[in-house]
Amino acid sequence: MKSIRLIIIALCVLTLTACASSRSAEIYTRDQARQAYVVQTGVVTDIRAVRIEGTKSPIGALGGAAIGSIAGGSVGGGRGSQVAAILGGIGGWILGATAEEAVTQRDGFELTVRLDSGRMIAVVQEADVAFRLGDRVRVLSQGGETRVRY
């Protein structure tokens, strides 16, 4: 029985991390592949560190509720076990939602770019590429999404 609980917990953790979406300039979704992008060039004029919030899907909450219910249901016996399962499920729901958001947060940059046209834009993306003030960059835009690349 304990091994089944451990397997369920491991699957829930894997599910949480698999659901994290990327805001990286280096990662494209399947839908973004084979699309035309508008490309502009410019210079990085400001870099500010930011934190990109994590996902808030029902998966973390439901996974937490399942784990909490299983853990609570294993306490005591009879009616006490049922109450513990309900309370464990509620606590797990809250903890699971909080854990999902925390696990999927990312460090990011707010990059301000003066485009060659003279226009200034700011783009927030994951901090997976190091930029410096004065760097010449390309700004790719398509379908409401923009990314800064070398």
Side-chain angles (χ1 to χ4, degrees):
M1 186 65 160
K2 286 185 181 183
S3 61
I4 292 174
R5 281 190 219 133
L6 290 174
I7 291 170
I8 291 171
I9 291 169
L11 288 174
C12 289
V13 169
L14 287 173
T15 301
L16 285 177
T17 56
C19 292
S21 62
S22 176
R23 293 291 172 206
S24 168
E26 302 295 314
I27 298 173
Y28 290 82
T29 65
R30 292 178 62 81
D31 293 336
Q32 292 170 330
R34 297 176 51 180
Q35 298 291 318
Y37 288 81
V38 174
V39 180
Q40 301 176 76
T41 56
V43 175
V44 176
T45 60
D46 189 41
I47 303 168
R48 187 170 71 92
V50 298
R51 193 85 175 132
I52 300 172
E53 74 177 355
T55 58
K56 296 177 182 174
S57 72
I59 293 171
L62 291 172
I67 293 168
S69 293
I70 291 168
S74 67
V75 174
R79 193 160 180 77
S81 177
Q82 292 171 348
V83 171
I86 291 169
L87 293 176
I90 292 169
W93 181 276
I94 295 166
L95 289 173
T98 303
E100 175 188 9
E101 208 266 329
V103 166
T104 58
Q105 282 185 358
R106 299 285 183 255
D107 290 327
F109 290 130
E110 177 189 83
L111 301 164
T112 302
V113 178
R114 179 181 303 283
L115 299 173
D116 292 344
S117 68
R119 200 176 92 174
M120 297 274 290
I121 63 167
V123 178
V124 175
Q125 64 189 37
E126 279 187 36
D128 58 343
V129 175
F131 291 96
R132 294 180 311 269
L133 294 178
D135 281 350
R136 291 280 306 161
V137 294
R138 296 180 308 138
V139 178
L140 286 72
S141 302
Q142 186 264 342
E145 293 208 15
T146 302
R147 60 184 73 212
V148 178
R149 307 266 327 252
Y150 279 110

